Amino acid sequence: MSGQVNYLEKAPKLGQEYYYLYVRENLIYSLFKWQGKDFEQSWLKNHRLYPTKKDVIKAAEFLKNYLISHKEQLNCLTSGPIYGTKVWYGLDMDGFSDDYKVMNFNPENVYLQKLLNLSLLYRTSDDLVKAANLITEALALEKKRSK
């Protein structure tokens, strides 16, 4: 898998375009122009910013494979819990406290099913925080491998 992650290490110039990798049910991305906002600095720190569309697509593919192959290490739910059980997920899996969400599990909820299938549902907020940190570390390690 070497060479699949090429995130930005330094802040772009004001107005410069970059891609942001959302770690969500579909591992999607968006194109933005750098404004130097605090949240952008956080995204940069957590290896979620990419210089090109090709780079962000490669990172999403790496991350998809990582989530599948590291379920035990991530301590995510691997099967749906009992209806009504509290489950945790991150809107962006960036490790920030305002990112954490809790919901009662409903097997008919399509969004929760997608998160479950992608290994992004957790039993506790602590498990979620650890997983978000592991994802950030995995992106950093993969970039090092490509150098």
Side-chain angles (χ1 to χ4, degrees), residues 12-16 33-36 40:
K13 294 178 181 172
L14 283 177
Q16 183 177 342
K33 289 188 179 184
W34 184 260
Q35 298 176 24
E40 288 176 309

Side-chain angles (χ1 to χ4, degrees), residues 8 16-24 26-34 39-40 43 48-57 60 92:
L8 292 173
Q16 183 177 342
E17 292 183 338
Y18 65 86
Y19 289 86
Y20 175 73
L21 175 62
Y22 292 96
V23 184
R24 296 184 179 177
N26 293 321
L27 294 176
I28 57 176
Y29 55 88
S30 292
L31 178 64
F32 293 101
K33 289 188 179 184
W34 184 260
F39 66 87
E40 288 176 309
W43 290 351
R48 301 304 196 271
L49 303 187
Y50 294 83
T52 68
K53 185 175 181 178
K54 181 179 176 182
D55 288 322
V56 76
I57 289 170
D92 292 320

Side-chain angles (χ1 to χ4, degrees), residues 13 18 22 28-29 37 41 56 59 68-71 83 97 99 102 107 117 122 125 128 130 132-133 138 143:
K13 294 178 181 172
Y18 65 86
Y22 292 96
I28 57 176
Y29 55 88
K37 305 266 182 176
Q41 296 291 342
V56 76
I68 291 168
S69 63
H70 290 78
K71 289 180 183 191
Y83 182 92
S97 60
D99 184 58
V102 64
N117 291 336
Y122 302 89
S125 60
L128 171 64
K130 289 176 189 173
N133 289 334
K143 181 163 183 156

